[in-house]
C-alpha cells in the first residue's frame, strides 16, 4: 500500500477517487488551481484523511494522480520539478467533456504519451479514464463483484503499484501493457471507454486479474 496519494485536481474525477482511496484506509492530499483554502468544504466532506495543499506539495507525493482538464496538463508539468522515478497517474482525457464529440489534437499521440514526454523522470500510468465521473463516484464493488479498471504504462513496477492501488480501492485492475497501446484503447472514443462498450458500465468480475 502506497504512502499518501497526491491528487492534482479536485473536480468530479479527483473527488471521486479521493473518496475511494480514503475508504481503503490511505491518506490523500488534494489541490486545485485556486489554493487550499478554497478546498475547505471538499476536505470537510471527505474527512480527516484528506488535506488540501499547494500544487507543488501535492505533486511531490510518491504517487500523483493528474485529474485536471487537458489544456492545463502540459503547462503545469512544465512548471514542476523532475519526477525522479515517482509515479504519475494520468486520468485525463483529450476532450472537453467525457464522451463528447471533439477532442484536442495531439498529433496522433495519446494524452499519456504527451504527459510522459513532458514529465521528466516520471513513470506514467494511464488509468481511471474509461468511466464517466458519475460512475467513478459509485462504489467500485457491489454484490455482483468489482467494476473493471484498465491501466497501461511502460514501467512494469509502476503498473504493479497502480494496479495494487486500484485493487485496494475496490476495482478489478486489468493491465493493458504499454502506454502507446493501452492508452489508445482507453481514450474517450476508444474501444474500452464506457459507452462505446456499454457492458463495461456494469461488468464486474469476482477476482483480481
Ligand atoms: N468528468 C468525467 O466524466 C471524466 C471521466 C474520465 C476522465 N476525465 C478527465 O479527467 C480530468 C478531470 O475531469 P473532471 O471532470 O474532474 O474536471 P472538473 O470537474 O472540471 O475538475 C477539474 C479540476 O482541475 C483543477 N484544475 C484546473 N486547472 C488546474 C491547474 N492548473 N492546477 C491544479 N488544478 C487545476 C480544477 O480546479 P479549479 O476549480 O481551481 O480550476 C478542478 O479542481 C479531465 O482531463 C477529464 O477529461 C473526466
Amino acid at each position: 500500500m502506497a504512502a499518501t496519494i497526491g491528487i492534482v485536481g479536485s473536480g468530479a474525477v479527483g473527488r471521486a477517487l479521493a473518496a475511494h482511496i480514503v475508504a481503503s484506509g490511505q491518506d490523500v492530499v488534494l489541490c486545485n488551481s485556486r489554493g487550499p483554502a478554497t478546498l475547505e468544504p471538499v476536505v470537510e466532506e471527505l474527512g480527516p484523511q484528506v488535506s488540501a495543499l499547494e500544487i507543488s506539495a501535492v505533486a511531490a507525493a510518491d504517487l500523483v494522480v493528474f485529474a485536471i482538464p487537458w489544456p492545463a496538463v502540459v503547462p503545469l508539468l512544465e512548471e514542476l520539478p523532475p519526477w525522479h522515478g515517482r509515479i504519475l497517474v494520468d486520468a485525463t482525457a483529450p476532450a472537453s467533456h467525457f464522451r463528447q464529440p471533439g477532442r484536442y489534437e495531439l498529433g496522433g499521440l495519446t494524452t499519456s504519451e504527451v504527459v510522459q514526454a513532458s514529465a521528466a523522470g516520471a513513470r506514467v500510468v494511464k488509468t481511471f479514464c474509461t468511466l464517466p465521473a458519475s460512475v467513478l463516484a459509485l462504489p467500485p464493488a457491489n454484490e455482483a463483484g468489482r467494476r473493471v479498471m484498465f491501466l497501461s504504462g511502460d514501467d512494469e513496477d509502476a503498473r504493479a503499484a497502480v494496479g495494487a492501488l486500484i485493487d485496494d480501492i475496490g476495482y478489478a485492475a486489468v493491465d493493458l501493457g504499454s502506454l502507446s497501446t493501452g492508452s489508445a484503447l482507453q481514450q474517450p472514443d476508444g474501444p474500452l471507454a464506457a459507452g462505446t462498450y456499454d457492458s463495461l458500465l456494469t461488468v464486474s468480475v469476482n477476482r483480481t486479474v
Side-chain angles (χ1 to χ4, degrees):
M1 195 172 279
T4 299
I5 309 287
I7 303 181
V8 176
S10 306
V13 171
R15 289 198 307 269
L17 295 177
H20 298 325
I21 292 168
V22 298
S24 76
Q26 298 178 80
D27 294 338
V28 168
V29 288
L30 281 176
C31 63
N32 62 7
S33 69
R34 290 166 292 133
T38 64
L39 285 171
E40 275 176 22
V42 175
V43 169
E44 193 171 330
E45 182 186 327
L46 290 169
Q49 283 176 276
V50 175
S51 312
L53 300 176
E54 297 293 345
I55 297 171
S56 56
V58 171
D62 286 337
L63 191 155
V64 181
V65 181
F66 260 49
I68 61 178
W70 176 252
V73 173
V74 172
L76 177 56
L77 287 172
E78 287 171 347
E79 286 175 16
L80 294 173
W83 287 72
H84 296 301
R86 291 178 298 111
I87 296 174
L88 198 174
V89 174
D90 176 22
T92 68
S96 51
H97 297 289
F98 186 78
R99 299 270 322 128
Q100 294 297 304
R103 52 189 288 164
Y104 301 107
E105 180 46 51
L106 305 179
L109 297 174
T110 62
T111 56
S112 298
E113 290 171 297
V114 177
V115 166
Q116 183 69 80
S118 306
R123 294 184 291 159
V124 176
V125 177
K126 180 77 176 174
T127 186
F128 298 131
C129 58
T130 51
L131 298 177
S134 56
V135 178
L136 274 178
L138 299 173
N142 58 34
E143 63 284 348
R146 294 170 171 231
R147 200 179 301 280
V148 167
M149 188 61 71
F150 300 101
L151 71 144
S152 54
D154 289 339
D155 184 282
E156 201 171 326
D157 291 343
R159 288 206 312 274
V162 175
L165 172 67
I166 290 170
D167 286 333
D168 282 345
I169 66 178
Y171 294 104
V174 176
D175 187 339
L176 300 171
S178 74
L179 260 194
S180 57
T181 303
S183 303
L185 292 170
Q186 295 181 72
Q187 297 285 293
D189 52 1
L192 297 180
T196 48
Y197 187 76
D198 282 340
S199 62
L200 280 181
L201 285 169
T202 52
V203 74
S204 297
V205 296
N206 291 313
R207 64 186 174 82
T208 300
V209 291

